[in-house]
Amino acid sequence: RVEPEEPLVARIRFEGSPMEFLAPIVDISAEGGAAEFEHYMFPMRLCYKGNPLTISITLPDNISQKIKKFPTRPLPSPSEMRREPAGAVVLSTTGRVTSVRVESDGNRYRVGMRLFFKDLARTVILQYISQRQSEIIRDLGMLADELYKIKK
């Protein structure tokens, strides 16, 4: 589970809703994630534990470039993964709400979701998580080096 450095935009449609809600993904894993809603945009009657949802998450395109090395799998269906013209990949899947909580500032809601990615979409998510973890470790190493220099 990682927190995206750049906001990942998700389009979420809760069961029982005729419309999609745009929300930033604040953390993501191969099994789920969390989105944040401003209090005035929070769909209270639709967002409860166990409610099914469909979600489309936009990821940076550099993730899919690494996946092309694995030609053994068939190409994903358009409903599972599509390329956006602005150099992004959109993964679509289903899921369920697992938690809803008010953030400490009281102005936002954090919605936890269990997501059911198919094989190729899961591979793309895992690649994104691995890349993000490498960035975090690199940043921590640089911070440790700077602290060591200051201490000297």
Side-chain angles (χ1 to χ4, degrees):
R1 184 171 292 268
V2 295
E3 294 179 3
E5 181 176 33
E6 297 293 322
L8 299 179
V9 177
R11 293 179 175 273
I12 304 169
R13 183 182 307 247
F14 297 98
E15 186 172 279
S17 174
M19 62 184 275
E20 292 181 328
F21 297 88
L22 288 176
I25 297 295
V26 293
D27 71 55
I28 192 161
S29 74
E31 302 291 323
E36 277 190 351
F37 291 88
E38 297 293 328
H39 73 283
Y40 60 88
M41 290 293 293
F42 182 65
M44 183 81 67
R45 69 175 185 79
L46 299 169
C47 201
Y48 56 87
K49 189 174 179 176
N51 194 25
L53 58 91
T54 58
I55 186 169
S56 296
I57 302 170
T58 303
L59 294 173
D61 187 37
N62 59 345
I63 301 305
S64 68
Q65 299 303 317
K66 295 180 181 180
I67 300 304
K68 289 181 181 178
K69 296 177 188 174
F70 305 109
T72 56
R73 300 224 181 226
L75 290 174
S77 67
S79 64
E80 186 181 352
M81 186 168 93
R82 69 180 189 273
R83 188 170 310 284
E84 289 290 301
V89 171
V90 178
L91 301 179
S92 298
T93 191
T94 60
R96 289 195 179 278
V97 175
T98 58
S99 65
V100 178
R101 76 166 203 228
V102 179
E103 291 289 31
S104 59
D105 65 8
N107 292 325
R108 289 173 293 162
Y109 290 85
R110 185 180 181 107
V111 177
M113 301 168 286
R114 170 80 164 93
L115 301 176
F116 308 111
F117 292 109
K118 299 228 164 93
D119 289 342
L120 186 58
R122 180 180 302 281
T123 303
V124 172
I125 288 291
L126 288 171
Q127 182 64 41
Y128 174 81
I129 291 168
S130 176
Q131 179 181 339
R132 182 69 186 116
Q133 287 172 336
S134 295
E135 292 169 1
I136 291 168
I137 290 168
R138 185 182 61 241
D139 291 348
L140 286 172
M142 290 183 342
L143 179 61
D145 290 345
E146 289 299 317
L147 289 173
Y148 180 74
K149 288 176 187 175
I150 292 171
K151 191 174 179 179
K152 275 185 156 181

